[in-house]
Amino acid sequence: MALKKSKTVRLFGAGGHSQIIKLVLQENNHKVSDVFDDKPENCHSFFKSITVGNRSNYDALSAEGDPFIIGIGDNFQRAEVARFLKSDFETAIHKSAIIGNKVIIGKGTVIYAGAVIGLNSIIGKHVIINTSANVGIDNKLEDFVHISPMAALCESVEIGEGSHIGAGAIVMPKIKIGKWCTIGAGTVVTKDVKDHCVVVGNPERTIRSNKFNFPNKKLTN
């Protein structure tokens, strides 16, 4: 599945996650017009030309022009940028990804090589479906979720806003994971998880809460 709305995209963030997005775009014959980052001196060597984007002054980033993709892997930071950046957003979907029928994919979402999304699933805005992740049928992923490489979500799973499913984790059918949770790598989730929980192990166990203050300005794009 290729991009449909634009042949050029702006990136916010120039780390490792952003370079993979750029490769996905290039494979779909799309171009990156500009790359913005708060600290360009710390950026990945893949990027040769970077514009300083001050996260404390989003008004300086024009809403006019190409849509953005936020190339930040950290869910909290990606959400922070998305909630205040005045722009339209685009998706990036690798050509090798398998997308089932009647799947809804929100703006700003990126889907990496080898990922599978089952039919009737709903994927929110600014979600990351990482390399070879498997999202089963009838899943619902809210905004800013990150499904790490090789993670598997079985049938009818719900993942709350901002939650991170670690590499190789398995979420059993009809499980609901709350908002802003962290599911550790290799964890097997067999029961519902409340908001803000950090869960690890097989079988799973909750080890702590990761509550934090979060900007409450609504995402409008």
Side-chain angles (χ1 to χ4, degrees):
M1 183 182 296
L3 297 180
K4 295 180 179 180
K5 292 186 178 180
S6 177
K7 293 185 178 180
T8 54
V9 177
R10 292 181 287 179
L11 292 178
F12 192 105
H17 177 61
S18 192
Q19 71 157 329
I20 299 173
I21 295 173
K22 185 174 181 180
L23 289 172
V24 173
L25 291 169
Q26 289 174 340
E27 288 184 0
N28 286 330
N29 296 317
H30 297 294
K31 297 180 180 180
V32 174
S33 58
D34 296 285
V35 179
F36 299 85
D37 198 278
D38 292 331
K39 297 179 180 179
E41 67 276 9
N42 295 330
C43 293
H44 198 280
S45 58
F46 183 83
F47 295 101
K48 304 302 182 183
S49 179
I50 301 168
T51 301
V52 175
N54 188 350
R55 203 181 299 188
S56 64
N57 183 20
Y58 291 109
D59 290 338
L61 299 175
S62 174
E64 301 298 326
D66 301 319
F68 271 97
I69 292 178
I70 302 171
I72 300 174
D74 180 273
N75 293 352
F76 183 92
Q77 293 190 47
R78 190 167 68 259
E80 181 184 49
V81 172
R83 290 176 187 272
F84 293 94
L85 187 62
K86 295 179 179 179
S87 173
D88 195 11
F89 294 100
E90 189 54 272
T91 58
I93 301 174
H94 195 276
K95 290 188 292 186
S96 68
I98 299 173
I99 312 296
N101 292 332
K102 299 182 179 179
V103 170
I104 297 173
I105 299 173
K107 289 185 177 182
T109 287
V110 294
I111 301 175
Y112 287 179
V116 177
I117 301 178
L119 61 87
N120 296 325
S121 289
I122 300 173
I123 311 300
K125 299 173 183 176
H126 306 285
V127 170
I128 299 170
I129 310 294
N130 220 309
T131 306
S132 298
N134 193 320
V135 177
I137 67 171
D138 296 320
N139 272 221
K140 181 179 180 181
L141 280 56
E142 294 187 2
D143 300 343
F144 313 116
V145 165
H146 186 163
I147 309 299
S148 295
M150 303 297 292
L153 311 182
C154 295
E155 176 184 356
S156 301
V157 168
E158 296 183 19
I159 308 294
E161 180 185 68
S163 286
H164 187 167
I165 310 301
I170 299 173
V171 183
M172 300 304 288
K174 300 182 180 179
I175 295 298
K176 295 182 180 181
I177 293 176
K179 297 179 180 180
W180 298 102
C181 293
T182 299
I183 307 300
T187 298
V188 178
V189 183
T190 62
K191 57 187 177 182
D192 292 352
V193 178
K194 295 180 180 179
D195 294 349
H196 304 286
C197 287
V198 179
V199 177
V200 299
N202 179 13
E204 80 281 24
R205 66 187 188 279
T206 300
I207 59 173
R208 67 176 183 273
S209 170
N210 62 355
K211 288 186 178 180
F212 45 78
N213 294 322
F214 190 79
N216 54 20
K217 182 176 179 179
K218 292 182 179 180
L219 176 65
T220 57
N221 288 294

